[in-house]
Amino acid sequence: MNKELKNKENFTHEKSRFYKLSKVERDWIYNLLRERYLHELKEPSIVLPQKVRDSILEVIYKKVIRRGLPLSYHELKIFYCSEIPSFIREYRQLNRTNSPFTGGEVPHVSLPT
């Protein structure tokens, strides 16, 4: 039980360190993760395989490091995993509004260069 409390404290501490970044930096990271995830997502009801999720995380982490943000891989992974359900919801909503039955096309998210 004491071990569980310690893990919860570490999780909260790690998560709060991410939120110490400025709003612009957090939004930048969120948008990078979102665009890359939506680009890879093929079916709205399925979470991407672990291998693909890890490759997305590695690419974004390299960009975070190049930008010089004080963020560990673990902190970024916690944030990323917490946002995956919102990415899937957004993808489903986009597909619902742009489905072939309504005359629209399925959107394709282009990645920034």
Side-chain angles (χ1 to χ4, degrees), residues 6-54:
K6 222 174 192 183
N7 287 340
K8 284 184 180 180
E9 288 173 11
N10 287 341
F11 175 77
T12 306
H13 175 67
E14 295 290 335
K15 189 173 181 180
S16 66
R17 286 182 59 188
F18 176 83
Y19 289 100
K20 289 181 182 177
L21 296 173
S22 72
K23 177 145 175 50
V24 172
E25 292 167 338
R26 288 191 313 257
D27 289 346
W28 178 73
I29 292 171
Y30 175 83
N31 288 330
L32 286 175
L33 289 169
R34 181 187 149 276
E35 289 170 0
R36 183 71 60 165
Y37 193 90
L38 292 178
H39 178 74
E40 294 292 332
L41 199 59
K42 304 295 185 235
E43 296 181 36
S45 61
I46 299 175
V47 176
L48 289 175
Q50 185 68 39
K51 196 177 205 179
V52 177
R53 290 194 318 256
D54 287 344

Side-chain angles (χ1 to χ4, degrees), residues 52-90:
V52 177
R53 290 194 318 256
D54 287 344
S55 70
I56 291 171
L57 190 58
E58 289 173 16
V59 168
I60 302 304
Y61 185 66
K62 287 177 184 176
K63 290 183 180 191
V64 166
I65 293 299
R66 268 191 252 129
R67 193 160 181 179
L69 299 178
L71 193 64
S72 73
Y73 184 84
H74 181 69
E75 293 164 347
L76 183 61
K77 185 174 184 175
I78 289 171
F79 176 72
Y80 177 49
C81 291
S82 71
E83 294 299 324
I84 287 175
S86 70
F87 299 156
I88 294 171
R89 269 193 311 275
E90 182 178 345

